[in-house]
Amino acid sequence: MRYIRPLSIEDAVGQLAGAAGPAAVLAGGSDLLVRMKGGFIEPELIVDIKAIAGLSEITETAEGFSIGAAVPCAVLGENAALGKAWPGVVEAAKLIGSKQVQGRCTIVGNLCNASPAADSVPALVAAGAKAVVAGPSGKRTIAVEAVPTGPGRTSLAKGEIIEAILLDKRAPHSGDAYQRFIPRTEMDIAVVSAGVNLTIDGQGIIKSARVALGAAAPTVLLVEEAAEVLIGRRPDEATLERLAKICSGACRPIDDKRGTIEFRRKVAGVLAKRVATTAYKRAGGK
C-alpha cells in the first residue's frame, strides 16, 4: 500500500488516474478507515487531500458558498454565515457521527460513501447544491444528486475527485430544514430522513421548493411532485397532508431490522410535514 499527500489537485488527480490497482481518497477517513479495518476494501493507493490548498476552507463569495472537500463537519458547524444562510445543511452535517467523528468527517466523504442513509445528502439535494469535480479531462460541475448511483457506488470516473461543494447565495425569504428518524437519540443511522428548501413571497406564499428523502430508496429521492404541492400555497394542514401522502408514495424502501417498508413510508410523510413547517418558519412565514 502506498500513502501520498499531494499539494495540488492536479497531482492528486494524476496519482488517482495512474494507479494500477484500487485507489482511495482520504479526507476525514471516518468511512474509509472503518471499511479498511473491516476488510471490505484494500486500496493499493491512498491519496490524502488535506494538504491541498483551499480544500480545508469555506469561502463565501458573491455567488454563495464553496465548501472544500476536506472541511470537517465540526468546522462547517461553527461557520456562522453558512449556518445563517443554510441552517438545514448545517444541521444535517452536524448529525454525522459522534463529537470525535465530527472533527474528521466531511460532507464530501459522506456524499462519496454513497450510503442511502447519509445525513448530509438529502439536505444538500434539497438545497440544490452542486459538486465541483476535478479529473484528468479538467473540471466539471454537477448536481449533488448525480453523484451517488446506488449503495456504495458513484458516477465519478477513474481519476476524478470532488474538489468542493457549492451552495448558491440565499434568496430573500428562504429557509431549509432537515430531520431524520433514528431508534436512539444520537449516534445512529437514519431509518428515513427528509430535507426541504423553499422560498416565499411577501404574502407568505411558497414560490419555489425542493423536497428530498433519504434512506427511502437506493439513492436520495428528489420528489418533484411534493415540491409542486407546496408551490403557490401556504403550508396549511391540507397542503401538508398532501405533501405527506406524496412523499410516502414516492418511497422505495427496504425491510430490515431498523424498519419495515410500511413504517418507513409513514415516517417519510411525517418528517416531510415537519421539515416543511420548519423551513417555512425560517423563511419568515407565519
Side-chain angles (χ1 to χ4, degrees):
M1 181 186 294
R2 288 194 303 132
Y3 165 88
I4 63 170
R5 191 176 171 91
L7 301 179
S8 71
I9 195 73
E10 292 79 13
D11 188 14
V13 166
Q15 293 285 349
L16 290 167
V25 175
L26 172 63
S30 55
D31 285 313
L32 174 63
L33 298 182
V34 171
R35 293 173 68 194
M36 289 173 61
K37 186 174 181 179
F40 298 106
I41 57 171
E42 294 184 8
E44 294 182 9
L45 173 67
I46 294 178
V47 180
D48 187 340
I49 62 172
K50 290 189 288 297
I52 299 175
L55 265 60
S56 296
E57 298 175 2
I58 300 173
T59 306
E60 184 176 7
T61 67
E63 289 76 35
F65 292 88
S66 175
I67 304 169
V71 174
C73 288
V75 173
L76 188 149
E78 293 170 353
N79 189 292
L82 182 63
K84 182 178 180 181
W86 293 100
V89 171
V90 171
E91 66 191 356
K94 290 171 71 175
L95 288 173
I96 303 171
S98 64
K99 292 292 185 183
Q100 295 90 336
V101 170
Q102 280 279 303
R104 302 294 293 178
C105 68
T106 69
I107 58 173
V108 171
N110 197 225
L111 173 63
C112 292
N113 190 50
S115 166
D119 279 310
S120 67
V121 183
L124 289 170
V125 171
K130 294 178 174 60
V132 180
V133 181
S137 301
K139 294 184 181 181
R140 60 191 178 102
T141 301
I142 61 175
V144 160
E145 57 265 32
V147 176
T149 58
R153 303 192 306 272
T154 74
S155 61
L156 300 179
K158 183 178 175 63
E160 287 191 323
I161 181 174
I162 295 180
E163 184 177 349
I165 296 294
L166 303 180
L167 289 166
D168 289 340
K169 182 178 180 180
R170 254 319 193 184
H173 308 297
S174 297
D176 68 324
Y178 172 83
Q179 285 189 24
R180 66 179 182 178
F181 175 83
I182 57 174
R184 301 187 296 186
T185 56
E186 59 181 328
M187 284 292 292
D188 209 343
I189 300 170
V191 175
V192 68
S193 62
V196 171
N197 174 41
L198 53 79
T199 300
I200 63 176
D201 63 18
Q203 286 71 49
I205 303 298
I206 298 171
K207 62 180 184 179
S208 67
R210 286 171 67 93
V211 179
L213 301 175
T219 60
V220 170
L221 295 174
L222 179 62
V223 190
E224 295 182 0
E225 188 180 355
E228 291 169 2
V229 165
L230 294 173
I231 295 171
R233 299 177 178 86
R234 292 184 177 87
D236 55 28
E237 190 58 35
T239 298
L240 291 175
E241 284 299 326
R242 289 182 63 196
L243 171 69
K245 185 177 180 180
I246 290 170
C247 287
S248 294
C251 291
R252 305 193 306 273
I254 60 171
D255 274 316
D256 65 15
K257 62 183 180 181
R258 295 184 298 116
T260 64
I261 291 174
E262 182 182 10
F263 179 76
R264 282 187 161 104
R265 284 177 173 160
K266 174 67 175 179
V267 175
V270 172
L271 291 180
K273 289 170 60 176
R274 291 179 180 177
V275 293
T277 301
T278 300
Y280 185 75
K281 291 179 180 178
R282 287 174 175 174
K286 298 179 181 178

